[in-house]
């Protein structure tokens, strides 16, 4: 009987693997937070690592409990990742309280990653509060000035600027000056909450320019984790060498497609997740 010999296969090692660190809370339902970030970063072609700031008891219908990770362990996670991995971009999501915000800000100042994307997570899709109200001031003082981009939705933009929640694109435009005053290098103001509009357009606000990212609104209840997914995809594309403008545009296309294919999934009884791996499923 002829013998078969195992062939040694050596993979090409890419010394410039695009690595993205997500700093966020864990969603036990898998649709948002750390879980959504890792899916989005992986689906868009980068390597994901993580530092968990809180553990939520959560599903498609809501958040029933939040357990903040002890501060010392948040710091240990960040030290472990930054001291070993070549993190190019950092995506920041749920931070829960002021003390965790301070720890994360301290570590960003210590390690100075090339890109920082901050999604100022305050309220879940279900309406549950994910950031203590008194922590908003700390977020504005410590983290927003370190960010290359912040990605607030309309309620978050209103909370950060003290403005009413915009009801149309004209009112979105009235927030531009106040958002610039927060100190981030750029802002992506997301218009997904303008539910009466047939489009879901975002404002990409830079120091001396504003552009509109257009997208048709997709009729679906499966929108859990959209903000997490979008900001993680932006960080992923930045880690791969895209400009900020290109990363935002590509991530907007990615999340639009992930929402468009969301109804192919049947997850839970509430707001289901977007379809992070729609491209993989189409290729099978």
């Amino acid at each position: 009987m002829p013998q078969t010999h195992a062939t040694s296969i050596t993979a090409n090692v890419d010394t410039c693997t695009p690595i993205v660190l997500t700093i966020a809370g864990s969603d036990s339902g898998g649709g948002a937070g750390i879980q959504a970030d890792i899916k989005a970063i992986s689906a868009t072609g980068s390597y994901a690592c993580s530092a968990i700031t809180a553990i939520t008891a959560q599903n498609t219908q809501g958040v029933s409990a939040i357990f903040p990770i002890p501060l010392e362990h948040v710091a240990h996670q960040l030290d472990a990742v930054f001291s070993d991995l070549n993190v190019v971009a950092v995506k920041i999501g749920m931070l829960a309280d002021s003390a965790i915000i301070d720890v994360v800000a301290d570590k960003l100042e210590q390690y100075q990653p090339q890109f920082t994307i901050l999604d100022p997570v305050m309220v879940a899709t279900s309406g549950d509060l994910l950031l203590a109200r008194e922590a908003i001031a700390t977020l504005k003082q410590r983290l927003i000035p370190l960010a290359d981009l912040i990605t607030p939705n309309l309620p978050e933009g209103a909370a950060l600027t003290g403005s009413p929640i915009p009801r149309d694109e004209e009112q979105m435009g009235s927030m531009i000056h106040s958002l610039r005053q927060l100190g981030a290098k750029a802002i992506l103001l997301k218009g997904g909450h303008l539910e009466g509009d047939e489009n879901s357009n975002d404002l990409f606000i830079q120091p001396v320019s504003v552009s509109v990212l257009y997208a048709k609104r997709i009729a679906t209840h499966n929108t859990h984790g959209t903000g997490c997914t979008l900001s993680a995809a932006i960080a992923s594309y930045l880690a791969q060498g895209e400009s900020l403008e290109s990363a935002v545009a590509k991530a907007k296309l990615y999340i639009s497609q992930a929402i468009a294919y969301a109804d192919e999934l049947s997850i839970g009884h509430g707001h289901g997740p977007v379809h992070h791996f729609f491209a993989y499923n189409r290729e099978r």
Side-chain angles (χ1 to χ4, degrees):
M1 186 175 182
Q3 293 183 330
T4 57
H5 299 278
T7 302
S8 175
I9 300 174
T10 303
N12 290 324
V13 177
D14 182 1
T15 57
C16 297
T17 300
I19 299 176
V20 179
L21 167 63
T22 167
I23 306 171
S26 171
D27 172 5
S28 53
I34 286 284
Q35 287 83 347
D37 292 345
I38 290 174
K39 292 172 188 177
I41 293 163
S42 302
T44 53
S46 297
Y47 179 86
C49 53
S50 65
I52 297 176
T53 59
I55 298 172
T56 68
Q58 184 175 176
N59 56 29
T60 64
Q61 299 182 81
V63 181
S64 56
I66 298 174
F67 174 72
I69 299 297
L71 300 179
E72 184 180 59
H73 194 64
V74 174
H76 286 332
Q77 290 178 81
L78 293 170
D79 287 333
V81 172
F82 278 119
S83 65
D84 182 45
L85 306 185
N86 180 26
V87 173
V88 180
V90 173
K91 175 264 163 86
I92 304 171
M94 177 186 174
L95 296 174
D97 57 38
S98 292
I100 290 177
I101 292 170
D102 279 329
V103 169
V104 171
D106 288 344
K107 292 302 178 183
L108 290 178
E109 290 172 344
Q110 178 181 349
Y111 291 106
Q112 298 188 4
Q114 187 174 351
F115 300 107
T116 298
I117 307 301
L118 172 62
D119 183 20
V121 176
M122 298 177 185
V123 181
T125 304
S126 60
D128 295 289
L129 192 67
L130 296 176
L131 179 69
R133 297 190 188 280
E134 62 271 16
I136 295 175
T138 310
L139 189 75
K140 292 166 67 173
Q141 293 166 4
R142 294 295 320 273
L143 270 185
I144 290 179
L146 300 177
D148 294 282
L149 178 75
I150 60 173
T151 61
N153 59 29
L154 300 185
E156 290 161 352
L160 290 171
T161 61
S163 308
I165 298 175
R167 301 300 177 191
D168 54 39
E169 288 193 21
E170 182 178 353
Q171 292 181 11
M172 284 177 68
S174 69
M175 297 179 71
I176 291 173
H177 176 73
S178 297
L179 287 168
R180 281 177 169 152
Q181 295 299 108
L182 294 172
K185 295 183 179 67
I187 305 104
L188 184 66
L189 180 61
K190 301 174 295 189
H193 281 72
L194 297 181
E195 295 181 357
D197 198 324
E198 66 178 10
N199 295 322
S200 181
N201 299 335
D202 304 333
L203 296 184
F204 181 41
I205 304 164
Q206 296 179 282
V208 294
S209 67
V210 179
S211 56
V212 181
L213 279 71
Y214 296 94
K216 283 290 182 184
R217 185 174 299 277
I218 297 159
T220 178
H221 290 292
N222 295 330
T223 56
H224 185 47
T226 50
C228 306
T229 298
L230 174 63
S231 53
I234 293 170
S236 178
Y237 288 126
L238 283 171
Q240 295 170 39
E242 299 285 349
S243 67
L244 182 58
E245 293 82 355
S246 175
V248 168
K250 292 182 76 168
K252 175 70 170 176
L253 177 60
Y254 169 73
I255 188 59
S256 296
Q257 291 176 302
I259 295 171
Y261 285 93
D263 286 352
E264 291 186 356
L265 302 175
S266 179
I267 310 294
H269 297 89
H271 290 280
V274 302
H275 197 333
H276 295 91
F277 295 106
F278 63 87
Y280 169 76
N281 281 26
R282 282 188 297 169
E283 291 171 359
R284 287 196 302 174

